Amino acid sequence: MSDKNPLYEIGDLLTELEEKNLNLITGLITDIVYDKEYNQYNYCIKWSDMKIETVVNESILHWRVQNRIWHYYGVVK
């Protein structure tokens, strides 16, 4: 396991506005897995417009949130 904690948590919500049809797509983080080889976390995300979950590494997820491609809503505890 890593010395650092994941930036995001299971239950966090991501949204993206599909530009072509102006549909709001939502994604829910369903699992977090640490990758020892790359020393980073991978996030399983279930998107509202897909039947399967996708896996996104923490660097890409964080970059998309910081650049407002995906909007992030943290889980309420």
Side-chain angles (χ1 to χ4, degrees), residues 61-75:
L61 194 157
H62 191 61
W63 183 87
R64 287 178 175 260
V65 168
Q66 292 300 310
N67 288 284
R68 298 186 176 146
I69 296 167
W70 292 346
H71 297 277
Y72 167 76
Y73 303 91
V75 66

Side-chain angles (χ1 to χ4, degrees), residues 6 8-13 28-32 43-44 74-75 77:
Y8 306 97
E9 296 184 36
I10 293 174
D12 289 352
L13 180 70
L28 186 67
I29 297 176
T30 59
D31 197 13
I32 303 169
Y43 297 85
C44 298
V75 66
K77 294 182 179 180

Side-chain angles (χ1 to χ4, degrees), residues 23-76:
N23 291 329
L24 183 65
I25 299 168
T26 60
L28 186 67
I29 297 176
T30 59
D31 197 13
I32 303 169
V33 179
Y34 181 70
D35 185 336
K36 291 181 200 175
E37 183 178 349
Y38 293 102
N39 193 31
Q40 68 178 347
Y41 289 96
N42 290 316
Y43 297 85
C44 298
I45 303 172
K46 176 63 179 141
W47 292 100
S48 61
D49 66 335
M50 299 177 75
K51 294 191 184 295
I52 61 170
E53 288 182 322
T54 59
V55 176
V56 178
N57 72 44
E58 188 165 79
S59 299
I60 292 172
L61 194 157
H62 191 61
W63 183 87
R64 287 178 175 260
V65 168
Q66 292 300 310
N67 288 284
R68 298 186 176 146
I69 296 167
W70 292 346
H71 297 277
Y72 167 76
Y73 303 91
V75 66
V76 178

